[in-house]
């Protein structure tokens, strides 16, 4: 799995904003369609609540009218006269609350279900992408699409339906009742409000920009913390705690400055808008009062007008906030949808497979040329040909960076060759089912085995999901792992820690071998499988590998030449080509690159381990 892990990614920097993907409406519609019925119900309830809200100011005005009457002349019973109006109002309040409850419940139901669907679909499609996709992307960014972006999209969606619908209806409804109450006052309002809204929107967009910068700065700080905590062993080993603290502190300081600036901006905005709203109330009262004085308007109508115009203003303020949310939601949604439609060049499954009894496990590279997709101008393999005869051990040696791991990647079909082809039993790998190839034919053991943070049992079973406990034990025995596993108090149920952090290198490697052997692979690739181990664990692991190698087609990649002497054939690679081939003795006699490598290693190795 860890074959092609990219080099240490730098901490998450801000995303390049130039390449913002476009929002995919068709795909969004597909996710929305299953919820249309519920959405319809939510819309109806939200509209209902908004219409009730439009009614309320009118009734309040009538109530004020009654109150005013009783302040003038105290005849009759106020309670009796206002009772029906008050009950009506109470009923409307109740209805409004109920409708609000209803549409919020429905919306949260839609939002959460859609978020689950989105996450599942995105995760599923991300896992299907080519290895070259992961070479070019940072894991942190992919994870944030699954978490933050889906979250943001969901809350924008909910807000747009609830607030947006409600605010629009309220604006429209209240404007109608306003103009019925007093055309003059309404016209005045229609001039003042948009002017104020314009100023507000300008300030709002400046604040939004500031808020985005603030978020980016927070993300940078998080990136620093994430990297330091995730690589705590390296930080400790280099005694870099102080420097990491300073780095994190500097980023935090930056985000504090931005956040305070944002806070001041918001405070200014709030203060100014309070003044504006209050002035509007005063202005309405003043102009309306003079109309009342001139008998052109009743006091009750003025009250209704005040309440309704407040509703309009609040709704319009909401709408302008909402606009920013829509922009953010759309770009989050676009990021979520972007990788959902991306289809990989190498599918996970599909193609033919050979029945197990007919599978011989003979591999051949025919004039393969290859350069990594993310580095197209840099050929790693050139006209490379190699045959792995069934049941035989072939060793591949050569300088570091010479392309040995790349050969293994092509065999696993992590990439397709740029030219030439790789065959299994004479069949081009591209015609074979990749899942079958990786899951049942090829066992791969790399230098840095990656385990999952679960039990030993589950880690071994990762090689074959439906393996019985007996099969797991057998594979562990074959990999020399059974003894150390049962020596743990929890045995096979021991949790190995994140990435197997609680095990030694040799133990991890033996679990990785058990995991590869449990699928009974016909072909085994050992990519520097023992080179990270000390000589004692190397001996135990090598013993397991020797046992596992019998009867299989094996490709041993090694730079420590002492481990490849027993191979049936040794292939020496240089400059992306095969430059020598033969047994240990033949190659020594030839006196070429191999004997040169042997001579050089013999100089570094203590005499007892020297290969000659
Ligand atoms: P070896 O296993 O022999 O040490 P590799 O096959 O790992 O060599 O690498 C061969 C060359 O390909 C190196 O120059 C390396 O930098 C490059 N390379 C390896 N992996 C990738 C990758 N995922 N993307 C781009 N270049 C890569
Ligand atoms: Mg390598």
């Amino acid at each position: 799995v860890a074959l092609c892990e990219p080099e240490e990614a730098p901490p998450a920097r801000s995303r390049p904003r130039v390449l913002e993907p476009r929002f995919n409406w068709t795909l969004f519609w597909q996710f929305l369609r299953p919820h249309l019925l519920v959405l319809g119900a939510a819309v109806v309830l939200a509209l209902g609540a908004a219409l009730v809200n439009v009614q309320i100011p009118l009734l309040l005005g009538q109530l004020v009218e009654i109150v005013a009457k009783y302040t003038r002349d105290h005849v009759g019973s106020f309670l009796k006269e206002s009772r029906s109006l008050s009950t009506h109002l109470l009923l409307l309040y109740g209805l409004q609350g109920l409708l609000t409850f209803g549409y919020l419940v429905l919306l949260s139901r839609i939002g959460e279900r859609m978020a689950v669907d989105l996450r599942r679909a995105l995760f599923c499609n991300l896992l299907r992408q080519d290895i070259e996709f992961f070479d070019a992307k940072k894991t942190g960014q992919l994870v944030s699409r699954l978490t933050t972006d889906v979250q943001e999209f969901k809350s924008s969606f909910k807000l747009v339906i609830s607030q947006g619908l409600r605010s629009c209806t309220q604006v429209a409804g209240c404007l109608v009742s306003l103009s019925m109450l007093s055309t003059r006052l309404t016209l005045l309002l229609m001039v003042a409000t948009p002017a104020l809204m314009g100023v507000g929107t300008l300030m709002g967009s400046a604040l939004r920009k500031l808020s985005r910068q603030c978020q980016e700065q927070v993300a940078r700080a998080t990136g620093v913390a994430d990297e330091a905590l995730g690589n705590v062993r390296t930080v400790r080993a280099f005694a870099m705690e102080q420097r990491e603290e300073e780095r994190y502190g500097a980023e935090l300081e930056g985000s504090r400055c931005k956040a305070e600036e944002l806070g001041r901006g918001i405070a200014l905005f709030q203060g100014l808008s309070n003044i504006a709203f209050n002035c509007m109330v005063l202005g309405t009262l003043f102009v309306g009062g003079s109309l009342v004085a001139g008998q052109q308007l009743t006091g009750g109508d003025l009250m209704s007008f005040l309440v309704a115009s407040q509703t309009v203003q609040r709704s319009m303020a909401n709408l302008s906030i909402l606009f920013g949310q829509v922009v953010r939601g759309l770009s989050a949604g676009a990021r979520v949808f972007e990788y959902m439609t991306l289809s990989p060049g190498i599918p996970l499954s599909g193609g033919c497979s050979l029945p197990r009894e007919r599978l011989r496990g003979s591999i051949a590279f025919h004039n393969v040329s290859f350069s990594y997709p993310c580095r197209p101008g840099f050929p790693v393999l050139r006209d490379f040909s190699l045959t792995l005869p069934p049941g035989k051990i072939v060793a591949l040696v050569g300088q570091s960076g010479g392309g040995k791991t790349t050969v293994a990647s092509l065999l696993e079909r992590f990439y397709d060759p740029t030219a030439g082809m790789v065959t299994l039993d004479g069949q081009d790998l591209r015609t074979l089912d990749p899942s079958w190839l990786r899951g049942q034919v090829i066992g791969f053991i790399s230098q840095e085995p990656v385990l999952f943070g679960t039990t030993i049992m589950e880690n071994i079973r990762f090689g074959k999901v439906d393996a019985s406990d007996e099969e797991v034990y057998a594979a562990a025995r074959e990999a020399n792992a059974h003894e150390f596993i049962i020596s743990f108090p929890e045995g096979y149920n021991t949790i190995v820690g994140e990435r197997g952090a609680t095990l030694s290198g040799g133990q991890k490697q033996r679990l990785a071998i058990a995991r590869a052997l449990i699928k009974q692979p016909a072909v085994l690739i050992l990519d520097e499988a023992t080179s990270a181990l000390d000589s004692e664990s190397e001996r135990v692991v090598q013993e397991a590998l020797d046992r596992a190698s019998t009867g299989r087609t094996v490709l041993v990649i090694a730079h420590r030449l002492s481990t490849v002497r027993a191979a049936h054939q040794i292939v020496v690679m240089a400059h992306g080509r095969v430059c020598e081939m033969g047994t240990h003795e033949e190659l020594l006699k030839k006196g070429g690159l191999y004997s040169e490598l042997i001579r050089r290693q013999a100089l570094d190795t203590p005499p007892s381990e020297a290969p000659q």
Side-chain angles (χ1 to χ4, degrees):
V1 189
L3 187 57
C4 282
E5 292 214 318
E7 287 105 3
E8 272 316 313
R13 297 270 170 249
S14 62
R15 298 192 181 95
R17 302 234 146 238
V18 248
L19 291 171
E20 282 277 286
R22 287 173 59 84
F23 188 81
N24 189 332
W25 288 100
T26 341
L27 208 54
F28 173 56
W29 174 245
Q30 280 171 21
F31 280 93
L32 192 61
R33 205 160 43 191
H35 309 291
L36 276 187
L37 213 63
V38 185
L39 183 66
V43 166
V44 168
L45 294 187
L47 281 178
L51 288 178
V52 171
N53 267 359
V54 174
Q55 291 291 311
I56 287 172
L58 296 179
L59 291 178
L60 276 180
Q62 292 176 22
L63 193 61
V64 167
E65 215 25 49
I66 297 174
V67 174
K69 199 181 113 198
Y70 279 88
T71 48
R72 283 194 305 272
D73 32 40
H74 301 267
V75 287
S77 158
F78 171 70
L79 275 186
K80 218 164 94 194
E81 203 165 334
S82 64
R83 185 181 299 138
S84 78
L85 205 55
S86 308
T87 13
H88 199 160
L89 264 173
L90 269 181
L91 278 178
L92 282 188
Y93 287 156
L95 184 62
Q96 205 263 1
L98 212 63
L99 289 172
T100 307
F101 171 80
Y103 80 73
L104 285 182
V105 166
L106 292 183
L107 274 183
S108 103
R109 181 189 139 113
I110 301 173
E112 297 311 323
R113 287 177 187 213
M114 206 152 69
V116 169
D117 292 346
L118 285 172
R119 291 201 166 109
R120 200 178 279 153
L122 179 58
F123 183 65
C124 158
N125 205 47
L126 280 177
L127 275 185
R128 272 167 178 60
Q129 292 307 311
D130 290 332
I131 298 291
E132 71 172 271
F133 172 85
F134 295 97
D135 285 347
K137 300 285 184 290
K138 288 182 206 152
T139 325
Q141 278 190 7
L142 298 182
V143 171
S144 93
R145 293 196 187 217
L146 276 175
T147 52
T148 334
D149 287 337
V150 171
Q151 178 76 24
E152 175 119 353
F153 181 66
K154 177 186 76 184
S155 48
S156 305
F157 172 78
K158 291 204 294 200
L159 264 179
V160 166
I161 304 288
S162 61
Q163 302 278 340
L165 212 60
R166 207 173 130 168
S167 300
C168 286
T169 323
Q170 281 177 189
V171 168
C174 284
L175 278 180
V176 170
S177 37
L178 283 179
S179 55
M180 282 182 345
L181 288 168
S182 159
T183 342
R184 271 223 217 135
L185 266 183
T186 309
L187 283 177
L188 198 73
L189 202 68
M190 298 267 269
V191 177
T193 308
L196 283 178
M197 295 308 299
V199 176
T201 309
L202 277 184
M203 281 189 77
S205 81
L207 286 180
R208 270 199 297 280
K209 198 169 140 211
L210 209 55
S211 139
R212 200 166 56 226
Q213 289 172 352
C214 211
Q215 277 173 1
E216 278 167 12
Q217 183 59 35
V218 170
R220 264 198 289 277
T222 313
V224 171
D226 191 45
E227 196 183 32
L229 293 177
N231 302 322
V232 71
R233 278 152 217 273
T234 314
V235 175
R236 182 71 44 90
F238 284 85
M240 284 304 239
E241 289 88 353
Q242 184 92 36
R243 202 192 66 120
E244 291 297 316
E245 273 166 36
E246 281 161 15
R247 228 154 58 94
Y248 186 55
E251 298 291 358
L252 277 186
E253 193 60 21
S255 73
R256 179 190 63 80
C257 287
K258 279 273 173 251
E260 284 187 1
E261 202 180 325
L262 180 66
R264 280 194 296 273
I266 290 176
L268 183 70
F269 183 78
Q270 290 282 350
L272 284 181
S273 60
N274 279 358
I275 295 178
F277 275 130
N278 287 331
C279 286
M280 293 279 281
V281 174
L282 190 62
T284 312
L285 268 181
F286 190 75
V287 179
S290 58
L291 286 179
V292 172
Q295 305 247 307
Q296 286 168 294
L297 196 67
T298 66
D301 281 353
L302 181 57
M303 175 66 194
S304 301
F305 193 92
L306 263 183
V307 178
S309 66
Q310 288 282 294
T311 309
V312 171
Q313 281 159 10
R314 244 182 299 133
S315 304
M316 286 180 78
N318 261 345
L319 282 177
S320 94
I321 295 173
L322 211 61
F323 177 73
Q325 185 71 40
V326 169
V327 173
R328 257 181 297 153
L330 282 180
S331 73
R335 285 196 297 274
V336 173
F337 289 130
E338 186 186 11
Y339 293 149
M340 263 187 217
T341 45
L342 203 62
S343 48
I346 303 174
L348 281 195
S349 55
C352 52
S353 55
L354 306 173
R356 188 160 267 276
E357 61 282 0
R358 282 213 354 246
L359 182 69
R360 293 166 50 238
S362 123
I363 303 272
F365 284 70
H366 300 277
N367 307 96
V368 168
S369 296
F370 179 72
S371 44
Y372 280 95
C374 60
R375 226 178 272 167
F378 177 73
V380 178
L381 299 181
R382 311 163 208 233
D383 206 19
F384 176 87
S385 295
L386 174 72
T387 311
L388 308 182
K392 292 274 176 352
I393 303 176
V394 173
L396 190 60
V397 300
Q399 279 149 346
S400 160
K404 303 183 295 297
T405 300
T406 308
V407 169
S409 305
L410 289 176
L411 199 45
E412 282 262 32
R413 219 177 154 217
F414 287 167
Y415 308 90
D416 278 333
T418 325
M421 67 174 175
V422 186
T423 59
L424 168 69
D425 290 353
Q427 296 250 26
D428 190 338
L429 282 198
R430 281 170 289 203
T431 64
L432 297 174
D433 182 348
S435 287
W436 170 77
L437 181 75
R438 297 169 188 142
Q440 295 179 36
V441 181
I442 298 179
F444 178 77
I445 294 160
S446 72
Q447 176 175 0
E448 277 290 324
V450 172
L451 300 178
F452 291 88
T454 162
T455 60
I456 289 180
M457 187 68 130
E458 288 307 312
N459 264 296
I460 298 180
R461 206 174 261 147
F462 197 76
K464 186 181 173 192
V465 186
D466 52 358
S468 66
D469 287 3
E470 297 312 316
E471 281 177 88
V472 172
Y473 301 147
R477 280 204 190 86
E478 206 182 341
N480 265 353
H482 186 70
E483 262 71 53
F484 88 78
I485 297 173
I486 54 172
S487 76
F488 291 153
E490 312 261 341
Y492 279 83
N493 292 324
T494 310
I495 305 274
V496 302
E498 199 181 353
R499 289 167 176 266
T502 59
L503 298 176
S504 79
Q507 290 171 338
K508 264 198 279 189
Q509 194 58 289
R510 280 178 275 164
L511 289 190
I513 294 171
R515 177 173 69 184
L517 291 184
I518 199 168
K519 53 183 171 185
Q520 299 287 353
V523 179
L524 200 57
I525 307 174
L526 312 174
D527 187 359
E528 317 243 9
T530 58
S531 53
L533 304 179
D534 57 88
S535 51
E536 172 56 23
S537 1
E538 176 176 3
R539 196 184 52 75
V540 191
V541 171
Q542 192 60 52
E543 198 183 292
L545 289 178
D546 290 343
R547 196 176 324 140
S549 297
T550 44
R552 295 201 162 96
T553 308
V554 182
L555 178 66
V556 188
I557 296 174
H559 69 245
R560 209 177 293 175
L561 301 180
S562 53
T563 55
V564 303
R565 285 171 70 184
H568 297 107
Q569 191 172 43
I570 298 173
V571 176
V572 186
M573 253 187 107
H575 309 297
R577 284 199 186 84
V578 174
C579 71
E580 279 180 353
M581 197 147 60
T583 61
H584 178 69
E585 280 72 27
E586 286 168 6
L587 288 175
L588 273 189
K589 217 175 288 162
K590 199 168 156 209
L593 195 60
Y594 182 75
S595 60
E596 171 65 28
L597 288 172
I598 289 278
R599 203 166 26 249
R600 243 187 279 157
Q601 283 202 353
L603 292 179
D604 313 334
T605 328
S608 60
E609 284 183 33
Q612 270 185 295

